[in-house]
């Protein structure tokens, strides 16, 4: 094998490792994004344990095919960057969605969740899900509501009895 072929095979293996180890992935088109906006985006990704890489579409497509993941053929064209969420599975989708509101050059192409292809509409829906902490707080609020209502009713009955 030639040195170039060896290098590409090594890069495909690294990409396969990143895909296998991530909890979620978002593919974005970044064409036209300014350096300042890209710097802010990368800082937000680092804060949330998301790897943001610009990779060759051909190599990513080869890695996906070797992993048995289908559906990305039509989306890996033009400028593509890949956000691999290693902590919170939805972190990459949330950051891209949030930044996409202010940076119009940032467009979601598709994504990967639980080893399966998801399109841009599903990525947008996943990004709108509240964080785990917010969901837990909402659940606790719902569980506490009937108890606090009962306590207020008992307090009013006790006050009337006096």
């Amino acid at each position: 094998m030639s040195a170039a072929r060896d290098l590409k095979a090594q890069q495909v293996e690294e990409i396969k490792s990143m895909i296998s180890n991530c909890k979620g992935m978002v593919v974005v088109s970044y064409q036209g994004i300014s350096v300042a906006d890209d710097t802010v985006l990368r800082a937000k990704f680092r804060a949330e344990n998301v790897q943001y890489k610009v990779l060759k579409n051909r190599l990513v497509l080869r890695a996906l095919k070797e992993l048995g993941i289908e559906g990305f053929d039509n989306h890996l064209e033009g400028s593509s960057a890949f956000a691999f969420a290693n902590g919170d599975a939805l972190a990459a989708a949330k950051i891209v969605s949030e930044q996409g509101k202010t940076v119009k050059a940032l467009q979601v192409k598709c994504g990967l969740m639980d080893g399966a292809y998801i399109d841009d509409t599903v990525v947008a829906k996943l990004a709108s899900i509240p964080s785990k902490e917010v969901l837990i707080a909402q659940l606790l609020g719902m569980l506490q509501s009937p108890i606090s209502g009962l306590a207020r009713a008992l307090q009013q009955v006790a006050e009337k009895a006096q």
Side-chain angles (χ1 to χ4, degrees), residues 67-144:
L67 290 171
I69 301 169
E70 300 293 327
F72 286 86
D73 297 340
N74 297 333
H75 300 287
L76 294 182
E77 297 172 354
S79 60
S80 299
F82 302 85
F84 301 96
N86 297 316
D88 179 13
L90 302 178
K94 288 181 180 191
I95 293 169
V96 169
S97 177
E98 175 189 319
Q99 288 298 110
K101 292 175 185 173
T102 57
V103 181
K104 298 302 178 197
L106 195 64
Q107 300 287 323
V108 174
K109 290 184 173 184
C110 59
L112 179 77
M113 188 65 63
D114 294 327
Y117 163 83
I118 56 174
D119 64 2
D120 59 337
T121 57
V122 176
V123 172
K125 287 179 184 175
L126 289 174
S128 67
I129 295 174
S131 69
K132 182 179 178 180
E133 292 79 17
V134 171
L135 289 174
I136 290 172
Q138 289 175 347
L139 176 65
L140 290 174
M142 288 180 358
L143 292 174
Q144 188 178 11

